[in-house]
Amino acid sequence: MTTRLRAALIAVLITTAGCSATDSGSPTPGLAERGTTMTTAKLTRQDLNNKVSLTGKVTLNPIFGLVAPLDGQIRYVEVKEQTGTPTKPTRAGAVWAAGKPTNVDVPAGSVFTGRLVGDKTSVTAGMPIVSAKYGGYGIVADIDGAQAYQLSDTLTSVRAQIKSGPGPFDCAVLGTIAALPAGTIPEPPAPPVAPQPNPADPNAKPAPQPQPEQPKNPRQPSEATGMRLVCTAPADVKLINGAAATIEVVTESAKGALVAPVEAVAGKQGAGKVEVIGADGARQVKDVVLGLTDGRVVQIKSGLTGDETLAVPGPNLPPAPPQQGGPSPAMGG
């Protein structure tokens, strides 16, 4: 065999061996299929708070609203013009139900600024019926519709932080977060008219000359407001009108809640599913009732004992059924 032929055969063998090694080798690793369990997680217990953050500012003499304490009929009383800052509550009216009144008072430190519904109107519990003006600095945060439903039930605690200023500190909430209509303040009743003397009676005293009325500034009722939260800082906190602030509202709390990582749970707001891995490796999808979440863990209110091992990621929710009368899939040719 010539040297040239021997070199050609060696080249062919090397090429064939290279192709065979590539073909028979293990494939290039890729991404795991969706739903593949990469790790597991155990349930734990911890305190959880549901929080809503609001943007506000320091406001002088903010307006706030008082609500009906129960279902019934509102009956207002005349509120005389007030000077200075009242040191005692001011009676604005009462809601009558089953023949009994429940008083509605403007708290001390605030002045009455208007009726929000008509006198002797039927009202429901939580309906704004009186507006008031706080005498001093408050912190006011506007609220959008989605936040209103998060805040409407319970305000467990409210804390505020002044931007580049004091805080955080507890902030006492005034009134309701509901939007307020414009207030009304009825004119006081006219004084009684003195009887005119009889000109034919020689003993009659001459009628007193009417005194010119002194001009006075009529009370200005409150203007309409949007949905907002109004709270007041402790007395030792220095506030500056117009300063920006952040308000953190805790709407719900749970002590020692049973929690799981959010990655191990499918579903939100109430109903969810988890995949439990048994000691023998068997898998079982279980329904759970979900509660609070801080974005990292979610409360398991029921459905698990706390000793389970969960697959991460959690189970995929089943796809929605096809809509009736929807477009049919395209037919292959």
Side-chain angles (χ1 to χ4, degrees), residues 5-316:
L5 180 59
R6 184 181 296 111
L9 288 173
I10 291 173
V12 171
L13 290 174
I14 292 175
T15 303
T16 305
C19 293
S20 299
T22 302
D23 294 342
S24 61
S26 58
T28 303
L31 296 176
E33 294 184 4
R34 182 177 179 84
T36 301
T37 301
M38 305 304 296
T39 186
T40 59
K42 297 291 290 185
L43 293 118
T44 58
R45 290 190 177 273
Q46 69 176 66
D47 296 345
L48 277 181
N49 292 319
N50 204 17
K51 300 178 181 179
V52 177
S53 184
L54 305 173
T55 300
K57 66 178 180 179
V58 178
T59 303
L60 185 61
N61 300 333
I63 298 293
F64 64 96
L66 303 176
V67 301
L70 73 169
D71 296 353
Q73 184 188 80
I74 176 65
R75 299 180 188 177
Y76 292 107
V77 298
E78 181 188 354
V79 179
K80 295 183 179 180
E81 187 171 0
Q82 300 165 296
T83 58
T85 302
T87 58
K88 296 181 180 180
T90 302
R91 180 65 41 81
V95 175
W96 285 75
K100 296 181 179 180
T102 300
N103 294 329
V104 178
D105 295 336
V106 175
S110 302
V111 297
F112 169 82
T113 54
R115 302 175 178 181
L116 302 182
V117 297
D119 191 26
K120 298 181 180 178
T121 297
S122 295
V123 296
T124 57
M127 178 185 296
I129 54 176
V130 169
S131 64
K133 179 187 292 185
Y134 179 71
Y137 286 116
I139 301 176
V140 179
D142 292 330
I143 298 171
D144 63 31
Q147 291 171 326
Y149 282 95
Q150 290 179 278
L151 301 175
S152 61
D153 294 331
T154 305
L155 303 181
T156 302
S157 69
V158 177
R159 292 179 64 78
Q161 168 73 58
I162 306 301
K163 186 177 181 181
S164 302
F169 50 81
D170 291 335
C171 204
V173 176
L174 292 175
T176 178
I177 66 170
L180 306 180
T184 60
I185 301 178
E187 291 291 333
V193 179
Q196 295 295 322
N198 185 356
D201 185 357
N203 297 322
K205 296 181 180 180
Q209 296 296 319
Q211 299 294 323
E213 291 187 5
Q214 298 295 326
K216 62 179 181 179
N217 295 323
R219 286 186 288 175
Q220 296 296 322
S222 61
E223 297 181 354
T225 71
M227 290 184 292
R228 60 186 190 169
L229 183 147
V230 181
C231 66
T232 58
D236 60 348
V237 176
K238 181 180 179 180
L239 299 177
I240 300 175
N241 193 40
T246 298
I247 299 178
E248 183 181 80
V249 182
V250 176
T251 60
E252 192 176 356
S253 299
K255 298 290 186 181
L258 183 66
V259 299
V262 293
E263 296 85 1
V265 181
K268 292 182 179 179
Q269 298 180 346
K273 292 181 182 292
V274 295
E275 188 173 26
V276 177
I277 301 178
D280 58 355
R283 299 165 177 265
Q284 181 183 6
V285 175
K286 288 190 174 183
D287 293 325
V288 291
V289 176
L290 307 178
L292 304 181
T293 181
D294 63 1
R296 297 180 298 105
V297 296
V298 60
Q299 180 186 12
I300 307 296
K301 300 181 73 173
S302 65
L304 298 177
T305 64
D307 298 326
E308 294 87 352
T309 298
L310 305 181
V312 180
N316 293 321

